[in-house]
Amino acid sequence: MKERLKGLEQKIGYKFRDFSLLEHAMMHSSYTNERHLPKEQCNERLEFLGDAVLELVSSEFLFKESPKMPEGELTKTRASMVCEPSLALCAGDIGLGEYLLLGKGEEATGGRKRDSVTSDALEALIGAVYLDGGFTSAKEFIHKFVLTDLEDKKLFYDSKTILQEMVQAEKGGKISYRLVSAEGPDHDRTFSVEALIGERVFGEGKGRSKKAAEQQAAYQAILCLKKQR
């Protein structure tokens, strides 16, 4: 496991002084439960800390980047930037799921690809970097892996809302989502969904939940509409 985690260090470009913090950040509660380890050995406390650091860094980023944005809009934007789907997307970019220590049950039910698990692990990793290298190191990590390609990320994780706004602005037809198929066992399903405007299919998407598949389909529909303009 240590060698694999050294691979994660290389990916993120940060070498831990206290390597046990990285191990701690990757330890899911299902792993500690299964091995009857103390509850505090799982990554939930680091996740709590990382969440606070992430909120501060993303708040400062928005405050400086959007000097005319009112408080209410700042709050709403920050919430969408650090929401579960967005963080899971960032975690996916560095393949964080493959480094997690999971219990057998969580492993068997697809925990490595579950948004809630990988987004929490990313926050725990931020907490670990903060404790190991201080605020500056954590800030650099967040800027490098979370606060990048924000326009593309917003387009992806908020695609249903953006598609709705685009279609309403053009006074287009009604948007609907049609489930095409659901394959695989209950614990590891893949849903296929089509996004329709009126009767016409504009996008197709796949995901581990209907909601994720709808977001993907909406994202493809947005790209399709932009091409037509």
Side-chain angles (χ1 to χ4, degrees), residues 51 54 58 76-90 115 119-120 122-123 146 153-154 156-158 211 215:
D51 175 62
L54 176 60
S58 55
K76 186 179 165 189
T77 305
R78 182 185 64 200
S80 66
M81 278 163 55
V82 299
C83 68
E84 186 182 288
S86 171
L87 293 182
L89 204 62
C90 300
D115 282 5
S119 62
D120 287 351
L122 184 66
E123 288 183 329
V146 181
K153 281 175 184 163
K154 180 168 172 39
F156 182 80
Y157 60 70
D158 209 15
K211 188 177 174 184
Q215 288 283 20

Side-chain angles (χ1 to χ4, degrees), residues 13-83:
Y14 180 83
K15 190 168 176 57
F16 279 82
R17 295 176 185 88
D18 180 358
F19 197 75
S20 68
L21 282 167
L22 178 56
E23 292 173 321
H24 192 175
M26 294 298 102
M27 200 174 289
H28 189 256
S29 58
S30 63
Y31 182 87
T32 55
N33 290 343
E34 210 169 81
R35 282 160 178 73
H36 307 292
L37 297 169
K39 172 76 174 163
E40 64 272 14
Q41 281 193 26
C42 79
N43 65 5
E44 289 173 1
R45 282 167 51 83
L46 278 176
E47 176 205 330
F48 161 80
L49 182 61
D51 175 62
V53 177
L54 176 60
E55 187 163 304
L56 176 57
V57 173
S58 55
S59 298
E60 181 195 45
F61 173 82
L62 276 175
F63 187 84
K64 288 180 175 176
E65 290 291 311
S66 310
K68 294 186 178 176
M69 190 181 281
E71 183 268 341
E73 195 63 30
L74 285 168
T75 302
K76 186 179 165 189
T77 305
R78 182 185 64 200
S80 66
M81 278 163 55
V82 299
C83 68

Side-chain angles (χ1 to χ4, degrees), residues 12 30 45 54 61 79 108 126 129 135 144 147 228:
I12 64 175
S30 63
R45 282 167 51 83
L54 176 60
F61 173 82
I126 291 166
V129 172
F135 183 72
K144 189 174 177 183
L147 302 177
Q228 290 181 7

Side-chain angles (χ1 to χ4, degrees), residues 109-126:
T109 56
R112 289 190 190 281
K113 295 178 183 174
R114 191 170 292 125
D115 282 5
S116 58
V117 174
T118 58
S119 62
D120 287 351
L122 184 66
E123 288 183 329
L125 182 55
I126 291 166

